[in-house]
Amino acid sequence: MVVVHGVSLTPGVLVSSFPLPFSSSSNARSLNSTVSFFLKKRPLSRKIFAGNQSAKFDSKSQAVSKKLLVPDNVDDGASLVTDDALQGPSNVTEESQKLNLESQTMEEDGIVITEDQASVSVNSSKVVKEKEVKPRTVPPPGNGQIIYEIDPMLRSYKDHLDYRYKQYKRLREEIDKYEGGLEAFSRGYEKLGFLRSDAGITYREWAPGAKSASLIGDFNNWNPNADIMTRNEFGVWEIFLPNNTDGSPAIPHGSRVKIRMDTPSGIKDSIPAWIKFSVQAPGEIPFNGIYYDPPEEEKYVFKHPQPKRPKSLRIYESHVGMSSTDTFHCDDDSELVMQEPMINTYANFRDDVLPRIKKLGYNAVQIMAIQEHSYYASFGYHVTNFFAPSSRCGTPEDLKSLIDRAHELGLIVLMDIVHSHASKNTLDGLNMFDGTDAHYFHSGPRGYHWMWDSRLFNYGSWEVLRYLLSNARWWLEEYKFDGFRFDGVTSMMYTHHGLSVGFTGNYTEYFGLETDVDAVTYLMLVNDMIHGLYPEAVTVGEDVSGMPTFCIPVQDGGVGFDYRLHMAIADKWIEILKKRDEDWKMGDIIYTLTNRRWSEKCIAYAESHDQALVGDKTIAFWLMDKDMYDFMAVDRPSTPLVDRGIALHKMIRLITMGLGGEGYLNFMGNEFGHPEWIDFPRGEQRLSDGSVIPGNNFSYDKCRRRFDLGDADYLRYHGLQEFDRAMQHLEEKYGFMTSEHQFISRKDEGDRVIVFERGDLVFVFNFHWTSSYFDYRIGCSKPGKYKIVLDSDDPLFGGFGRLDRTAEYFTFEGSFDGRPSSFMVYTPCRTAVVYALADRDDDLETLGSKP
């Protein structure tokens, strides 16, 4: 007998989670109370009901945890499942392993496959042929030993790392044995939550702490006695609701639903954990779960294939809700009136912001705050409903339309996914879901993040693994996201969560008792699942600790991320900006930008949304402060502070892209130096000590993006935006971020000059505040003729035009600064200039204003 997660299993026999007959009571059901939440055109204008809510209770109790085993061949709507039908992975039907192609488009070796046919272009004519799509599988684990060849220092921590990999392999083996493999295990949304079949609706929920449960909602007038659920020995509650006599579903699309449970903490109503949509009614605080199953004609059908993963990532970090700007409309008297800022919609973002991102030259858009969160000001990080897209911005179909449009534009779409913690809300979140403290989370202090005021998952729980792996799979499968930025990974990987800890790079900080091996193993599993089933998907991890092996494939013994966010760069820029120009150290800048692990790719950024929040400052605000309000018009005199700020803003961003990593990220609006900060609407807050934190009268005034500032060619913001666009197009043309060639030939503390090569380009930065240098000799790797391809001092970019962009620079033979060749340049103060080797007969294009 084997014991797995507290459940005794006889080898070779898989015990069903759903052996009990389905039960339903539909007689008391009333369809008259149903109210639809959806209008097709403008999702934010939809009417929301006004009615009585079901009872809600806060709760607290002991933990109950058991393993849920879900066989793939359980037929929703069946009345009985026999033991013979539940014989482990070998009994998984061939049909359940096939790739579901409904409403799906994929690319394979240049062939676009849709539905049951493939089309390929041959000599400009389309040939349609049948193509069998094989089931997707996750490759088996490797030996996990390659990490020691990549980094020999890891051999000193072999016991820890081998134990970690052994735990990962054990989980893979158990998932293969009892769940039919990681591919099937990660489709928990096909076994739990609301499941529609031809016969009716099945609803299942894992709530082992509950003593009784019933499904309530508009469909049965919130009658807790109408639809009683049954429980199996693993704590799974279940009910089957047959179709109405006219064939319509028992629960109409768009109606409210909750599960009522008698728990150790009392009676409580909860939004189903696997709910696909939830909304907040006017005047109410808790959200309501929505049964979301639109008719076929209302479902969005993806029209465009997902783009291939770009070689270098240029990410535009965005937040749909705060992407609106001031808009104007005519009133009844035909006078132009400014409209109040609002929470923007998926539709508006699709139509207005995505084309902007494409024009700027980015190839990826990273969207924050997708998962539903009851507290808007949490920036989307206090998630309440993990499978539901935020209803503030529209419907799930609106979000799908947004993603499809991005794919049409050639942009990949990354989702900012939160698996590091969850909202502590008990009324509309997972906290105390079944009345116990340790349902999805660790119990006691280990399950609470004191700084974030949120709950922490128990990654050692079988059902938590199912929930989170399925959650990642859901967003990739249903919405066609192209990958994720995993939030708060440092908090996950350590029991101290990185709080009050200064990582020095000593390996004992990474591989000791303070490492949460369960969490690291989960990260290995989710990366394994994502890359195994979706080879083109991208995963980026937010880790500030510098965990070794973070971006090494799981098969080789790593954690499996594609990229690490290079978070130290933004912190270093803030530290430097607090100093006088005379105190800036070129070596300090270079060290921070290049201090990353060999062979592990990083996403570099000078600032992200973190620096834009109220209480912090953007780089532009650090540099120009209040002068940004009065001296940004190009037809008016500038100030020394503005001139300095514009020059350094461009230099900081270019050197970060040039040296900081293999990818680049920018938060929306920062490309043109968006003024002020982000301040979400909030009221006055009174603390327990009697002090008061002032609110902003729930204003959206500073919770938006003034894109019009960057577009206005009569403002200096426009020059910053044009420079950022030129940066992106330069990288697109030369691909310098992913080049293996990088050499820093000069970091002169006296001259304040930095010179380096990246790919075939030579970058020259003069950070001196007054000194410009004529006939300044710089080294290069290849002889020939060089020309300027980007000049931060170009008038188009708000510069002074001190360089001749038509000039040609010929190299000298002989070693200089450790390079075999060199050439002479003029480098004005506070400028960044990029030179490229020109072919003998080619005239390179300079990005900037016309000569």
Side-chain angles (χ1 to χ4, degrees):
M1 180 158 304
V2 182
V3 178
V4 182
H5 299 287
V7 178
S8 298
L9 301 170
T10 302
V13 178
L14 181 61
V15 183
S16 170
S17 293
F18 313 116
L20 300 177
F22 297 95
S23 139
S24 68
S25 176
S26 57
N27 295 334
R29 191 171 297 114
S30 169
L31 302 183
N32 295 331
S33 59
T34 301
V35 180
S36 176
F37 280 79
F38 313 110
L39 295 178
K40 294 181 182 178
K41 296 299 183 183
R42 284 297 172 190
L44 288 184
S45 65
R46 61 184 177 273
K47 182 180 291 184
I48 301 182
F49 66 89
N52 293 332
Q53 293 250 2
S54 53
K56 307 171 185 66
F57 295 86
D58 231 345
S59 52
K60 180 179 181 182
S61 80
Q62 61 185 11
V64 179
S65 177
K66 289 187 179 179
K67 176 180 176 181
L68 164 67
L69 299 171
V70 184
D72 268 331
N73 54 359
V74 173
D75 180 19
D76 295 327
S79 59
L80 181 65
V81 180
T82 65
D83 288 340
D84 293 338
L86 301 170
Q87 299 297 320
S90 61
N91 243 37
V92 176
T93 64
E94 182 180 354
E95 188 64 27
S96 68
Q97 289 291 329
K98 288 182 179 178
L99 173 62
N100 179 9
L101 294 179
E102 183 178 355
S103 300
Q104 176 172 327
T105 303
M106 59 179 286
E107 281 193 354
E108 182 173 309
D109 299 328
I111 302 174
V112 178
I113 305 167
T114 59
E115 302 280 327
D116 58 351
Q117 67 182 24
S119 63
V120 58
S121 231
V122 180
N123 296 329
S124 300
S125 64
K126 179 174 282 189
V127 178
V128 179
K129 64 178 183 178
E130 296 294 324
K131 183 176 178 68
E132 181 182 355
V133 180
K134 297 180 179 179
R136 287 182 289 185
T137 58
V138 180
N143 61 18
Q145 300 297 301
I146 304 299
I147 54 174
Y148 304 117
E149 300 175 18
I150 296 173
D151 185 355
M153 288 181 61
L154 294 173
R155 294 194 178 105
S156 299
Y157 304 90
K158 198 172 189 298
D159 289 344
H160 178 101
L161 290 164
D162 284 353
Y163 171 76
R164 183 178 86 180
Y165 203 74
K166 182 180 178 181
Q167 293 299 100
Y168 154 75
K169 290 185 71 174
R170 176 185 64 80
L171 281 172
R172 281 292 307 269
E173 291 167 1
E174 291 181 2
I175 291 170
D176 288 346
K177 184 176 182 180
Y178 301 117
E179 301 284 0
L182 195 53
E183 193 279 332
F185 188 52
S186 61
R187 287 187 282 113
Y189 47 81
E190 295 180 359
K191 298 300 174 187
L192 288 154
F194 290 97
L195 310 165
R196 177 79 183 277
S197 67
D198 291 339
I201 298 170
T202 301
Y203 170 56
R204 299 188 186 109
E205 196 73 74
W206 176 63
K211 293 177 281 188
S212 67
S214 62
L215 181 61
I216 58 176
D218 291 325
F219 72 100
N220 63 8
N221 284 325
W222 301 93
N223 184 353
N225 300 314
D227 295 291
I228 306 298
M229 303 178 71
T230 57
R231 182 191 192 277
N232 70 12
E233 65 267 41
F234 301 107
V236 177
W237 296 89
E238 179 175 327
I239 189 170
F240 174 69
L241 306 176
N243 289 334
N244 298 315
T245 54
D246 63 357
S248 62
I251 308 176
H253 164 60
S255 55
R256 298 175 296 172
V257 288
K258 285 191 177 181
I259 178 173
R260 172 166 291 185
M261 293 174 284
D262 183 5
T263 76
S265 305
I267 303 293
K268 75 184 295 279
D269 295 350
S270 296
I271 294 178
W274 298 72
I275 200 73
K276 304 304 190 295
F277 197 53
S278 62
V279 300
Q280 185 180 35
E284 294 184 358
I285 295 177
F287 276 58
N288 290 280
I290 301 299
Y291 177 72
Y292 191 84
D293 185 24
E296 289 299 320
E297 63 271 15
E298 293 182 15
K299 292 181 180 178
Y300 186 83
V301 178
F302 286 88
K303 305 175 183 66
H304 306 284
Q306 294 177 243
K308 294 288 186 181
R309 179 204 300 220
K311 187 176 181 181
S312 61
L313 274 182
R314 300 186 302 277
I315 303 172
Y316 196 81
E317 185 184 32
S318 58
H319 184 289
V320 172
M322 56 172 294
S323 64
S324 66
T325 186
D326 286 334
T327 57
F328 295 86
H329 68 276
C330 292
D331 62 11
D332 294 337
D333 297 325
S334 298
E335 292 187 9
L336 207 58
V337 177
M338 187 172 70
Q339 181 175 304
E340 281 296 314
M342 63 175 185
I343 296 177
N344 210 9
T345 65
Y346 297 127
N348 288 342
F349 189 92
R350 175 198 65 207
D351 297 339
D352 301 334
V353 182
L354 286 179
R356 169 183 297 276
I357 296 171
K358 177 65 176 179
K359 183 179 179 181
L360 285 171
Y362 291 86
N363 57 19
V365 53
Q366 177 183 302
I367 308 181
M368 307 171 62
I370 290 295
Q371 294 164 293
E372 189 60 88
H373 47 290
S374 62
Y375 183 43
Y376 187 50
S378 74
F379 232 132
Y381 292 124
H382 280 203
V383 176
T384 46
N385 311 121
F386 282 78
F387 288 81
S390 178
S391 59
R392 293 180 180 88
C393 303
T395 69
E397 310 313 304
D398 294 330
L399 176 58
K400 292 175 184 178
S401 175
L402 183 161
I403 294 169
D404 199 25
R405 172 59 174 152
H407 291 161
E408 182 184 10
L409 292 171
L411 301 170
I412 69 167
V413 187
L414 305 180
M415 174 179 163
D416 196 346
I417 197 168
V418 185
H419 283 181
S420 50
H421 64 131
S423 168
K424 71 173 186 178
N425 288 15
T426 58
L427 298 181
D428 49 19
L430 291 179
N431 189 21
M432 305 290 289
F433 183 83
D434 68 348
T436 67
D437 184 48
H439 186 198
Y440 284 95
F441 311 105
H442 287 292
S443 61
R446 189 179 177 187
Y448 178 72
H449 197 295
W450 61 266
M451 179 173 283
W452 294 346
D453 192 26
S454 56
R455 295 304 310 272
L456 299 172
F457 286 106
N458 177 6
Y459 303 101
S461 164
W462 192 265
E463 289 312 308
V464 170
L465 291 179
R466 185 196 309 277
Y467 187 80
L468 295 178
L469 288 169
S470 300
N471 185 243
R473 176 84 180 268
W474 170 255
W475 294 107
L476 295 172
E477 192 75 26
E478 181 71 13
Y479 289 88
K480 311 300 181 197
F481 277 99
D482 302 290
F484 301 108
R485 177 249 194 205
F486 279 82
D487 175 69
V489 175
T490 302
S491 174
M492 296 173 66
M493 294 192 298
Y494 307 97
T495 55
H496 53 61
H497 310 302
L499 301 176
S500 303
V501 175
F503 290 96
T504 65
N506 190 311
Y507 277 28
T508 58
E509 298 167 348
Y510 308 115
F511 310 120
L513 296 177
E514 292 179 319
T515 302
D516 189 335
V517 175
D518 286 339
V520 176
T521 304
Y522 163 68
L523 292 171
M524 296 167 71
L525 282 172
V526 74
N527 275 300
D528 214 10
M529 182 272 292
I530 292 169
H531 292 125
L533 300 179
Y534 307 89
E536 291 296 318
V538 177
T539 60
V540 181
E542 185 197 31
D543 171 42
V544 72
S545 73
M547 164 71 81
T549 75
F550 192 76
C551 294
I552 294 177
V554 175
Q555 288 79 5
D556 297 338
V559 182
F561 285 99
D562 294 306
Y563 296 88
R564 183 204 316 268
L565 281 178
H566 201 335
M567 301 175 69
I569 296 176
D571 294 337
K572 175 56 67 174
W573 284 124
I574 298 302
E575 175 189 322
I576 290 174
L577 289 170
K578 294 177 181 178
K579 300 178 179 179
R580 303 178 308 156
D581 289 9
E582 295 87 337
D583 297 326
W584 289 27
K585 301 297 182 184
M586 303 299 101
D588 195 19
I589 295 172
I590 292 295
Y591 176 80
T592 300
L593 291 172
T594 58
N595 182 26
R596 56 186 185 273
R597 298 191 181 281
W598 177 74
S599 82
E600 296 193 39
K601 294 185 290 186
C602 286
I603 301 292
Y605 60 95
E607 54 186 341
S608 68
H609 69 272
D610 288 327
Q611 288 71 41
L613 288 170
V614 65
D616 207 337
K617 291 182 180 181
T618 63
I619 288 177
F621 214 58
W622 276 108
L623 289 168
M624 295 178 278
D625 204 61
K626 64 180 184 301
D627 280 19
M628 296 180 72
Y629 299 116
D630 300 314
F631 299 98
M632 295 298 281
V634 296
D635 60 349
R636 297 180 184 177
S638 180
T639 68
L641 198 63
V642 168
D643 289 342
R644 172 183 179 268
I646 288 176
L648 290 177
H649 191 273
K650 292 178 288 187
M651 296 178 70
I652 287 170
R653 300 172 80 78
L654 181 58
I655 198 170
T656 298
M657 174 183 261
L659 279 180
E662 292 71 33
Y664 179 78
L665 177 144
N666 165 68
F667 179 66
M668 62 177 187
N670 287 350
E671 68 272 13
F672 60 82
H674 198 288
E676 296 183 325
W677 52 83
I678 298 167
D679 190 8
F680 282 88
R682 54 191 170 84
E684 183 179 87
Q685 183 180 2
R686 294 185 178 275
L687 304 181
S688 56
D689 60 4
S691 58
V692 176
I693 299 177
N696 63 8
N697 199 27
F698 296 100
S699 171
Y700 288 88
D701 183 59
K702 291 183 173 60
C703 191
R704 57 185 171 136
R705 296 283 88 179
R706 291 290 307 276
F707 292 120
D708 55 307
L709 298 178
D711 293 341
D713 57 9
Y714 54 84
L715 296 177
R716 292 185 168 90
Y717 296 107
H718 183 68
L720 297 178
Q721 178 170 284
E722 287 300 303
F723 182 76
D724 191 85
R725 185 166 73 94
M727 271 188 2
Q728 310 309 319
H729 287 281
L730 182 76
E731 207 289 322
E732 173 69 22
K733 181 174 182 178
Y734 292 97
F736 57 84
M737 283 197 300
T738 53
S739 172
E740 294 183 359
H741 176 65
Q742 175 176 303
F743 190 91
I744 300 163
S745 59
R746 174 166 292 224
K747 44 184 178 181
D748 194 309
E749 300 293 353
D751 293 345
R752 297 295 201 277
V753 170
I754 294 173
V755 180
F756 63 87
E757 301 162 20
R758 192 85 188 265
D760 293 329
L761 303 178
V762 180
F763 294 75
V764 180
F765 290 81
N766 181 358
F767 280 97
H768 204 284
W769 48 99
T770 57
S771 295
S772 300
Y773 306 107
F774 291 91
D775 295 332
Y776 200 82
R777 191 175 181 185
I778 60 173
C780 60
S781 61
K782 297 178 180 179
K785 179 179 70 175
Y786 284 80
K787 296 193 70 175
I788 294 173
V789 290
L790 183 63
D791 169 20
S792 71
D793 203 42
D794 191 309
L796 177 64
F797 308 142
F800 296 100
R802 288 170 286 179
L803 288 172
D804 179 2
R805 286 167 290 111
T806 64
E808 298 176 340
Y809 303 85
F810 294 89
T811 58
F812 302 94
E813 294 299 324
S815 177
F816 182 78
D817 279 350
R819 313 311 290 143
S821 301
S822 61
F823 57 95
M824 311 286 279
V825 301
Y826 169 47
T827 173
C829 62
R830 288 184 181 144
T831 59
V833 184
V834 185
Y835 299 87
L837 188 65
D839 292 332
R840 185 176 305 169
D841 299 323
D842 289 343
D843 187 15
L844 293 184
E845 176 189 2
T846 301
L847 296 169
S849 54
K850 299 298 181 182

